[in-house]
Amino acid sequence: MEGQILPPENLTNEAIAERLTTTARKNLETGSIQKKNLIYLELNGCSGNIISLLNGQNPDFEYTLNSMVHLRYSNSLMAAEGEQAIEQLLTAMDEEYILAVEGAVALKNNGLYNIIGSWKGEPLTGLQAAKMLGEKASHILAVGACATHGGVSAAKPNPTQSVGLQEVLPDKSIIKLPGCPVHPDWFLGTLAHLLLYGEPETDNLNRPLMFYSTLIHDRCPRRPFFDRGIFAEKLSDKTCLFKLGCRGPVTRVDCPTRQWNGHVNWPIGANTPCIGCASFGFPDAMAPFISYDTTRVVKDE
Amino acid sequence: MQNIEMIRMQLNHLVTQARYDIYMLSTLNDPSMKQQILQRLWETLSAIHFLSESLASQAMTNNHLSPSQQAIPAGMMNQTQIPPITPAPNTAQSNQRPFTLGELATFTGKNGRPAYVAVNGIVYDVTNNRAWAAATHFGLIAGKDYTQEFASCHTGQQSILATLPVVGRLV
């Protein structure tokens, strides 16, 4: 039976993510890999990514915190506050750590539009923190649309002059996980890969291929409707949402097969077009999100 | 009724294909072949899903309508089930149709108008191009000359233009 897999091994996204994290768990228990420190920095954004992360299942978030990594700092989740919290952040820098950043970096007024805490009476800006922590991190993950390219924080007219993390760390290699918010599997899976095998294989925009290699359009269950030119006229229609402005054809990520909220549904499954939140340039380049006055009826020409 | 019989035959064919692919996958060692077969299996499943949905919608219309009205949905089905999108044949005449910038600006893809864009003096139809959902593409709207934009984002990707139906030239 060696080398034979009958029936075929389960190839669903959940099964693959579970195999990855089960291996990580086993290797951590046997001591063949070590827990690493994780600093989770929240900059200029809405904290949507950390909220999304609480939905994580493979592994669940509690396991991530307790067994997979030492979470040394997180604006939202740590008990310490004020200068105590910042002190922990600075202490964590003495050891090796993986840095995960969500939110954009606000540049206006030397970063004063985004202050994450204070140290010895002086405000600590997101800009300072991103530069300081980014320079020393062993690996950097840009988590969510704002961190990868500015996202909603940098949308016009961008009053805070927000930019993606790469702009302030131009020489560092940053693994980019776009999405608004990021799917828990995209972040936790990349983290598990980092612990087990090092940096995952990425595309030319530094997105891990294991999550960002296929177009939504190519895995869309409504694809046959597109191929036959049958288009939805309103949101609840069950046919192809292309004429309403669906961005699935230009968005590279695995939503159709991975699905959200514990793998139960996703935007197109809920009869609303993809708004391209996992594309670089979201949201400005993906607008308008919905159009009704389009090309459905061709009368002349 | 003929429609239903045809859908049943197609479904049977697809199920046979899927069974064969599953058998192939269980015996296969070559990973590159595996990808191709998984891809085909996915497409087969999508087609089965599509056909079962059309069967269900036919069954629903038949249940709700009196026999005299049943002729109508069959006609409607024919109207909506237009064949797969293929580039329109480029006749020499339509290729040569001159457009001024002002004329081009009316082809915005709005209110039933087709969506046209110009690149390097050629006017292309993007009405049904998948990257131009709702006649917009990364913040650009149809009806304009995008020579600069194309050059800055798709340098050396002339193949993109080659797939688009040509409707005329910009004068």
Side-chain angles (χ1 to χ4, degrees), chain A residues 8-238:
Chain A
E9 102 184 297
N10 196 343
L11 290 175
T12 59
N13 284 313
E14 302 98 279
I16 292 168
E18 199 180 331
R19 276 202 291 279
L20 193 61
T21 49
T22 310
T23 316
R25 189 184 301 219
K26 221 184 277 168
N27 291 2
L28 284 166
E29 276 163 12
T30 58
S32 60
I33 58 170
Q34 297 301 313
K35 275 207 271 186
K36 290 199 175 162
N37 293 326
L38 174 72
I39 296 180
Y40 194 101
L41 198 59
E42 289 171 49
L43 302 181
N44 203 18
C46 68
S47 306
N49 295 292
I50 194 110
I51 304 277
S52 170
L53 209 50
L54 299 176
N55 262 331
Q57 289 188 324
N58 282 315
D60 63 47
F61 194 66
E62 192 188 343
Y63 177 79
T64 311
L65 287 190
N66 293 331
S67 312
M68 217 163 108
V69 290
H70 294 291
L71 184 66
R72 300 298 305 271
Y73 177 87
S74 154
N75 306 32
S76 292
L77 301 174
M78 67 198 304
E81 54 182 69
E83 298 228 342
Q84 269 187 337
I86 300 298
E87 194 176 339
Q88 286 202 26
L89 178 64
L90 298 176
T91 316
M93 281 186 68
D94 296 338
E95 296 169 48
E96 191 187 315
Y97 59 88
I98 297 170
L99 175 68
V101 177
E102 84 164 80
V105 185
L107 298 181
K108 189 154 189 191
N109 286 6
N110 218 7
L112 274 177
Y113 276 56
N114 176 224
I115 294 168
I116 61 164
S118 66
W119 180 239
K120 299 197 166 130
E122 291 288 311
L124 178 66
T125 66
L127 175 62
Q128 282 173 312
K131 279 187 175 168
M132 181 174 78
L133 290 155
E135 286 303 331
K136 260 207 72 203
S138 63
H139 301 279
I140 309 175
L141 301 174
V143 182
C146 292
T148 51
H149 59 271
V152 176
S153 302
K156 281 176 199 153
N158 194 1
T160 56
Q161 287 172 14
S162 281
V163 294
L165 188 63
Q166 189 82 70
E167 297 258 328
V168 297
L169 296 166
D171 303 326
K172 302 298 272 188
S173 146
I174 298 178
I175 300 173
K176 300 199 173 88
L177 306 171
C180 190
V182 87
H183 192 291
D185 286 3
W186 303 340
F187 174 67
L188 294 176
T190 306
L191 196 60
H193 197 288
L194 266 182
L195 298 177
L196 277 172
Y197 316 113
E199 298 210 350
E201 208 182 329
T202 54
D203 65 8
N204 58 347
L205 298 168
N206 269 351
R207 298 174 292 188
L209 285 173
M210 58 182 167
F211 302 118
Y212 293 89
S213 60
T214 51
L215 283 169
I216 284 185
H217 191 62
D218 290 340
R219 285 282 174 270
C220 183
R222 298 187 185 197
R223 179 63 186 270
F225 290 99
F226 176 87
D227 291 340
R228 288 166 176 80
I230 304 174
F231 299 115
E233 296 185 6
K234 56 183 188 308
L235 283 181
S236 57
D237 289 352
K238 307 280 187 200

Side-chain angles (χ1 to χ4, degrees), chain A residues 6 215 217-219 224-228 230 242-243 245-247 249 257 285-286 293-295 297-298 300-301, chain B residues 26 39 42 46 49-50 80 82 84-85 97 107 109-113 127-134 136 138-139:
Chain A
L6 274 176
L215 283 169
H217 191 62
D218 290 340
R219 285 282 174 270
F225 290 99
F226 176 87
D227 291 340
R228 288 166 176 80
I230 304 174
F242 169 74
K243 293 288 184 191
C246 181
R247 301 299 171 197
T257 49
M286 296 295 131
D293 53 344
T294 56
T295 54
V297 197
V298 179
D300 55 351
E301 301 303 326
Chain B
S26 69
Q39 173 77 36
W42 176 275
S46 301
H49 179 227
F50 171 75
T80 46
I82 58 172
I85 298 162
R97 189 195 145 162
F107 293 94
K110 298 292 171 195
N111 299 314
R113 302 278 289 170
T127 312
N128 286 320
N129 185 272
R130 62 188 219 166
W132 280 83
T136 54
F138 289 91

Side-chain angles (χ1 to χ4, degrees), chain B residues 7-166:
Chain B
I7 291 178
R8 196 178 73 92
M9 276 169 65
Q10 279 191 19
L11 277 173
N12 285 344
H13 170 76
L14 290 166
V15 168
T16 310
Q17 173 74 56
R19 283 195 180 128
Y20 177 74
D21 283 348
I22 289 170
Y23 170 74
M24 281 285 283
L25 277 174
S26 69
T27 57
L28 204 71
N29 290 321
D30 179 1
S32 63
M33 274 295 284
K34 206 171 180 171
Q35 274 314 107
Q36 284 177 29
I37 292 173
L38 278 173
Q39 173 77 36
R40 189 167 65 193
L41 201 52
W42 176 275
E43 275 153 17
T44 310
L45 269 182
S46 301
I48 290 175
H49 179 227
F50 171 75
L51 290 173
S52 74
E53 286 291 312
S54 13
L55 266 187
S57 76
Q58 275 197 18
M60 273 188 5
T61 20
N62 287 346
N63 282 342
H64 285 98
L65 294 172
S66 65
S68 63
Q69 286 173 300
Q70 280 187 12
I72 303 164
M76 276 169 64
M77 283 297 287
N78 289 339
Q79 258 181 22
T80 46
Q81 283 195 350
I82 58 172
I85 298 162
T86 44
N90 300 329
T91 60
Q93 201 183 5
S94 74
N95 275 350
Q96 288 310 310
R97 189 195 145 162
F99 283 86
T100 62
L101 269 178
E103 269 178 285
L104 181 63
T106 64
F107 293 94
T108 54
K110 298 292 171 195
N111 299 314
R113 302 278 289 170
Y116 295 168
V117 293
V119 176
N120 297 328
I122 312 278
V123 180
Y124 298 95
D125 183 351
V126 294
T127 312
N128 286 320
N129 185 272
R130 62 188 219 166
W132 280 83
T136 54
H137 174 76
F138 289 91
L140 308 179
I141 53 171
K144 294 185 180 176
D145 181 3
Y146 286 126
T147 305
Q148 298 276 330
E149 286 81 354
F150 186 86
S152 69
C153 285
H154 301 298
T155 321
Q157 292 176 282
Q158 292 301 311
S159 57
I160 297 175
L161 296 175
T163 63
L164 296 175
V166 175

